[in-house]
Amino acid sequence: MATLGHTFPFYAGPKPTFPMDTTLASIIMIFLTALATFIVILPGIRGKTRLFWLLRVVTSLFIGAAILAVNFSSEWSVGQVSTNTSYKAFSSEWISADIGLQVGLGGVNITLTGTPVQQLN
């Protein structure tokens, strides 16, 4: 146990994190830059084809950004539940736990955390 509560005196505190995934932010910025560049070029296109080019380019940029964002994001679906469950298979010991699930392209993560952490051992 640390003398200053739960912080250790010689370690720096937790670093503040960016509120958004930086990979996702960079993908969004790249595609917004491409869209702004096209909007600058758009007045050079004549007649009704201007509208068709706008629809084509905006649709293709949106589809490309969505594919890259899903590919490089860390998670697709997240779920969590608090429950009382047996400590291990065929055991009569019960614990209170939080069970979390993350499903993404990179894999599946299932987390079991006891609440409170010290229950049986």
Side-chain angles (χ1 to χ4, degrees), residues 107-121:
V108 176
N109 182 13
I110 301 172
T111 305
L112 175 67
T113 305
T115 52
V117 177
Q118 298 292 331
Q119 290 187 36
L120 291 176
N121 300 354

Side-chain angles (χ1 to χ4, degrees), residues 7-79:
T7 60
F8 294 102
F10 300 114
Y11 294 106
K15 295 180 181 178
T17 58
F18 188 68
M20 185 177 181
D21 185 16
T22 54
T23 306
L24 185 61
S26 62
I27 288 171
I28 290 171
M29 289 304 299
I30 289 170
F31 279 93
L32 285 178
T33 304
L35 180 64
T37 304
F38 177 73
I39 289 175
V40 168
I41 295 171
L42 191 62
I45 301 173
R46 296 181 185 209
K48 290 182 180 180
T49 58
R50 180 183 306 167
L51 177 65
F52 297 129
W53 272 101
L54 176 68
L55 291 175
R56 276 189 227 163
V57 170
V58 169
T59 303
S60 63
L61 283 175
F62 176 75
I63 291 171
I67 289 172
L68 283 178
V70 166
N71 190 27
F72 289 110
S73 66
S74 60
E75 57 199 33
W76 274 7
S77 182
V78 177

Side-chain angles (χ1 to χ4, degrees), residues 78-87 94-102 109-119:
V78 177
Q80 183 174 1
V81 67
S82 297
T83 185
N84 293 327
T85 184
S86 63
Y87 179 65
W94 288 83
I95 61 169
S96 298
D98 292 330
I99 301 172
L101 174 69
Q102 285 183 324
N109 182 13
I110 301 172
T111 305
L112 175 67
T113 305
T115 52
V117 177
Q118 298 292 331
Q119 290 187 36

